[in-house]
Amino acid sequence: MGFFNRLFGKKKPPRDDAAVDLAFVLLSSEQLPSAEEIVRCYRQIDPGGDDICESEGDGDKSSSDEVLLLPFESKETAFVALMPVAVPNGEAEEGAQFSVSSLGGRWTLPQHCAHLLVTLPSAGRLSPVERLSRFTSLLAAVVQASDCVGVYWGNAGATHEPEFFISAAREVGVVPRIMLWTGVSIAQEKDGRHSLLSLGMKQLDLPDLLLVVSESSRSSAIETFFDLLAYTANRGEPLPEGDTVGRTAEEKLPVHYVPSPVDSSKKVWRVEVA
């Protein structure tokens, strides 16, 4: 309880019924960024969003050399805590392979010696898309304000390259940001086709997608994959069994629910592209 006492101080922890988003900003040096710099970066990244207050009253006395408390105008408070160790058990390194930023060997995660624990509760007034969008803007601001070498988002199942994270967070709309909200696991099917499985759609209260593509559609698979995920995210509810989706108005690809290839107790929606 010592860490959480330092983290929350005299503040009440988030209510049990509040959604709490959490991710780790991996650092090359053991240093907590300034609250002022995070606020400045946040306002650049999301100028029309739910604004961060620079202080509570005459100043936030609960912040320290280890923890920053960043209150939003909505009365919810973000926490940024310095942890002077690497993320344990190689979890951050494991997640790097599932980020779009690492596909094709474009990026590998450097070593990190410390990390920032970033968390933001939401009392339920926001939709899942709005909630994750706000948290993404906050995370990108912390990344930009720190000596970041990677962003490990456990609920997304992925560790992202910092510049990729900031670039996607600066874009408007769900399509670019959903590439941060979920990792992608790529595998080869027994018949030689390739499959793409999302890893983080539970954050949106939606099932993950299993997209199976033929060799002729492989070059556009990533674009199709995230377009379909963004469609369901904007829709806000799962597609019915037997419904159809497509890359054009004419294309009708049936949706079927099958056991997840990584957890047979859960269902994913499967779409096949010729």
Side-chain angles (χ1 to χ4, degrees):
M1 290 297 293
F3 166 72
F4 287 99
N5 287 337
R6 296 198 306 274
L7 179 61
F8 292 107
K10 295 181 179 179
K11 288 178 170 291
K12 294 180 179 179
R15 299 197 324 266
D16 290 341
D17 61 347
V20 180
D21 294 302
L22 181 146
F24 302 109
V25 174
L26 313 178
L27 302 176
S28 60
S29 61
E30 187 182 319
Q31 185 173 354
L32 187 70
S34 72
E36 292 77 14
E37 183 63 12
I38 294 174
V39 170
R40 186 188 69 81
C41 294
Y42 180 87
R43 290 172 176 169
Q44 287 181 344
I45 292 166
D46 194 1
D50 188 5
D51 197 15
I52 298 178
C53 305
E54 292 194 45
S55 64
E56 289 182 307
D58 295 328
D60 190 349
K61 303 300 191 298
S62 299
S63 293
S64 68
D65 293 338
E66 294 179 318
V67 179
L68 297 177
L69 278 63
L70 302 170
F72 280 76
E73 289 185 340
S74 59
K75 307 304 181 184
E76 293 147 333
T77 300
F79 298 84
V80 181
L82 177 62
M83 310 298 287
V85 294
V87 175
N89 303 322
E91 290 182 21
E93 288 77 10
E94 177 71 17
Q97 65 184 303
F98 301 117
S99 172
V100 174
S101 58
S102 67
L103 293 183
R106 292 178 296 183
W107 174 73
T108 56
L109 176 65
Q111 287 187 340
H112 66 286
C113 65
H115 63 280
L116 300 172
L117 184 155
V118 183
T119 183
L120 177 59
S122 174
R125 65 181 184 84
L126 301 176
S127 70
V129 166
E130 291 170 333
R131 192 195 81 238
L132 283 185
S133 289
R134 185 181 64 168
F135 184 59
T136 300
S137 297
L138 171 66
L139 263 181
V142 176
V143 170
Q144 189 169 320
S146 62
D147 295 325
C148 175
V149 298
V151 184
Y152 172 46
W153 194 329
N155 286 338
T159 300
H160 302 296
E161 191 271 331
E163 291 303 320
F164 166 74
F165 195 99
I166 293 171
S167 176
R170 286 183 178 275
E171 296 292 328
V172 177
V174 171
V175 173
R177 288 186 168 212
I178 206 164
M179 293 189 291
L180 306 176
W181 300 346
T182 177
V184 52
S185 177
I186 301 176
Q188 188 167 23
E189 300 286 291
K190 293 180 179 179
D191 59 7
R193 293 182 297 172
H194 284 80
S195 63
L196 293 79
L197 175 68
S198 65
L199 304 174
M201 295 301 287
K202 61 183 178 295
Q203 298 178 102
L204 294 160
D205 300 322
L206 293 169
D208 280 306
L209 166 64
L210 180 65
L211 179 69
V212 181
V213 298
S214 64
E215 187 63 34
S216 61
S217 299
R218 188 176 173 186
S219 61
S220 60
I222 287 292
E223 180 181 0
T224 301
F225 180 74
F226 284 108
D227 280 345
L228 291 176
L229 289 176
Y231 171 69
T232 56
N234 283 319
R235 189 174 186 270
E237 59 182 6
L239 290 163
E241 167 71 28
D243 204 355
T244 60
V245 293
R247 294 164 292 182
T248 66
E250 293 76 25
E251 188 173 49
K252 305 294 182 184
L253 305 172
V255 171
H256 296 296
Y257 284 85
V258 299
S260 168
V262 297
D263 185 352
S264 60
S265 68
K266 298 179 180 178
K267 291 292 185 72
V268 298
W269 56 296
R270 178 184 171 106
V271 175
E272 298 187 17
V273 179

